[in-house]
Amino acid sequence: MKLNYHHLYYFWQVARSGHLTQTAEALHVSQSSLSHQIRQLEERLGQRLFLREGRKLRLSEAGRLAFDYADTIFRQGEELSALFTEGGHAHRESIRVGAVATLSRNFQEEFLRPLLDRDDMALSLQSGGLDDLLRRLSAHRLDVVLANHALHGDDQHPWRSQRLARQPVSIIGVSGLAPLPAFPEGLRGRGLIVPGPDSSVRQAFEQLCDYHHLTPTIIAEVDDMAMMRLLARDTLHLAVMPPVVVRDELRAGTLMDFGVLPGVFEEFYAITIRRRFESPLLKQLLAHSREMRLP
């Protein structure tokens, strides 16, 4: 029996949304009819394609493989339609990148730099919390997620984490401040702006302080690197952050790097999910990242 591509299309739409009811409404069919057609596809393939998690559906291992094939088939169909009806370009590549909202914008820009001057591709850059981004990645609505810590995959979540860069962390402050004594003496009695307690940078900084018997004076805990950059620039307090976050301010001389914190780093990772077909654009970005040298 031949594959019913009508059933495959409905499966593809449900896999993209993760919601049976929402997809049924968008396609103007009943939920029961949609469920029935997906069951017919599962019977034809002899594999269960979805696993239910509460009200949401998650792709099984077989479902992820089927989705990759369906995604290739129907996206090429959309390109063909665009070519003849909208003047689009056949084979126009696209890539969907998710980035944790607190991640350095400078790092994101450097990661994406190989694609920024191209007009033959479509880039979607989405920001959010890590859990939400991973759900989109699992549903194949993202190709990669940029984060500042690695994830360990398992059978249910086949994540792959590739370290892109490892950046030193420094004490950053406005240029008008007097030179600081060497660490740890330079931080005694000084107000500090630090990342939140869940940050790997914060945890490494606290371990360093404990080793040197230093009790830091915490003025503010800030998860968002953009906000930390503003506070470092507009106050007289010192900030614990990677210099890449304030690269432009350091070059302009408005902020100053008062010294690297020994043994404290921030790491940047690309999180992907195992796929049969990987985006050529993503391969290019990951290859470029191995050569990145951020200040």
Side-chain angles (χ1 to χ4, degrees), residues 5-69:
Y5 284 89
H6 194 65
H7 296 166
L8 186 65
Y9 178 76
Y10 279 173
F11 156 75
W12 180 60
Q13 291 288 0
V14 173
R16 293 172 74 187
S17 71
H19 293 275
L20 194 65
T21 302
Q22 292 178 9
T23 305
E25 292 174 353
L27 296 175
H28 305 291
V29 298
S30 68
Q31 182 174 332
S32 59
S33 174
L34 188 59
S35 297
H36 176 68
Q37 297 199 50
I38 290 176
R39 282 198 301 273
Q40 287 185 311
L41 178 62
E42 290 178 325
E43 291 170 3
R44 171 67 184 86
L45 298 176
Q47 299 287 340
R48 189 177 180 184
L49 301 177
F50 288 109
L51 303 175
R52 182 170 290 278
E53 291 183 345
R55 295 184 177 181
K56 293 199 65 176
L57 296 173
R58 180 171 61 82
L59 288 170
S60 66
E61 182 66 26
R64 283 192 290 269
L65 181 60
F67 180 86
D68 283 337
Y69 278 101

Side-chain angles (χ1 to χ4, degrees), residues 237-267:
H237 301 304
L238 300 173
V240 175
M241 64 169 64
V244 65
V245 175
V246 290
R247 178 184 59 194
D248 296 338
E249 287 79 3
L250 291 174
R251 289 174 178 171
T254 56
L255 288 176
M256 183 173 179
D257 186 334
F258 288 94
V260 171
L261 291 168
V264 182
F265 300 92
E266 180 165 32
E267 296 182 327

Side-chain angles (χ1 to χ4, degrees), residues 11-283:
F11 156 75
W12 180 60
Q13 291 288 0
V14 173
R16 293 172 74 187
S17 71
H19 293 275
L20 194 65
T21 302
Q22 292 178 9
T23 305
E25 292 174 353
L27 296 175
H28 305 291
V29 298
S30 68
Q31 182 174 332
S32 59
S33 174
L34 188 59
S35 297
H36 176 68
Q37 297 199 50
I38 290 176
R39 282 198 301 273
Q40 287 185 311
L41 178 62
E42 290 178 325
E43 291 170 3
R44 171 67 184 86
L45 298 176
Q47 299 287 340
R48 189 177 180 184
L49 301 177
F50 288 109
L51 303 175
R52 182 170 290 278
E53 291 183 345
R55 295 184 177 181
K56 293 199 65 176
L57 296 173
R58 180 171 61 82
L59 288 170
S60 66
E61 182 66 26
R64 283 192 290 269
L65 181 60
F67 180 86
D68 283 337
Y69 278 101
D71 200 47
T72 299
I73 291 168
F74 294 117
R75 286 194 182 278
Q76 288 183 347
E78 290 176 349
E79 290 175 2
L80 179 63
S81 176
L83 176 64
F84 290 106
T85 63
E86 302 171 10
H89 300 283
H91 307 299
R92 188 167 188 255
E93 296 180 84
S94 64
I95 186 167
R96 301 155 299 175
V97 178
V100 174
T102 58
L103 208 65
S104 163
R105 272 55 169 178
N106 287 336
F107 172 78
Q108 295 178 46
E109 180 183 22
E110 189 65 24
F111 177 75
L112 296 170
R113 188 169 299 283
L115 307 182
L116 296 181
D117 294 328
R118 292 181 53 172
D119 57 7
D120 62 339
M121 50 77 64
L123 168 65
S124 172
L125 181 58
Q126 305 172 32
S127 179
L130 181 59
D131 289 342
D132 180 52
L133 293 175
L134 291 176
R135 281 191 290 269
R136 295 185 223 172
L137 181 65
S138 182
H140 300 272
R141 296 198 296 273
L142 289 173
D143 297 303
V144 62
V145 170
L146 303 180
N148 45 23
H149 66 268
L151 290 181
H152 300 289
D154 54 32
D155 291 339
Q156 290 187 336
H157 302 99
W159 315 126
R160 294 189 298 184
S161 297
Q162 176 179 321
R163 192 172 75 179
L164 302 176
R166 191 186 197 207
Q167 292 295 305
V169 174
S170 293
I171 299 299
I172 304 293
V174 293
S175 298
L177 295 177
L180 297 178
F183 179 88
E185 295 305 321
L187 297 189
R188 297 191 191 279
R190 302 298 302 260
L192 295 178
I193 303 164
V194 298
D198 294 332
S199 164
S200 59
V201 170
R202 172 69 176 279
Q203 294 165 10
F205 175 64
E206 289 184 344
Q207 292 175 5
L208 180 65
C209 290
D210 288 343
Y211 178 81
H212 288 279
H213 306 290
L214 173 67
T215 303
T217 303
I218 306 300
I219 298 297
E221 296 178 329
V222 183
D223 284 327
D224 187 277
M225 288 291 105
M227 178 57 69
M228 184 176 286
R229 176 179 62 84
L230 292 177
L231 293 177
R233 187 190 68 187
D234 298 336
T235 72
L236 296 178
H237 301 304
L238 300 173
V240 175
M241 64 169 64
V244 65
V245 175
V246 290
R247 178 184 59 194
D248 296 338
E249 287 79 3
L250 291 174
R251 289 174 178 171
T254 56
L255 288 176
M256 183 173 179
D257 186 334
F258 288 94
V260 171
L261 291 168
V264 182
F265 300 92
E266 180 165 32
E267 296 182 327
F268 300 94
Y269 290 88
I271 302 171
T272 56
I273 195 167
R274 287 191 290 273
R275 285 180 153 188
R276 183 179 179 87
F277 302 107
E278 288 191 351
S279 162
L281 291 176
L282 178 58
K283 289 181 179 179

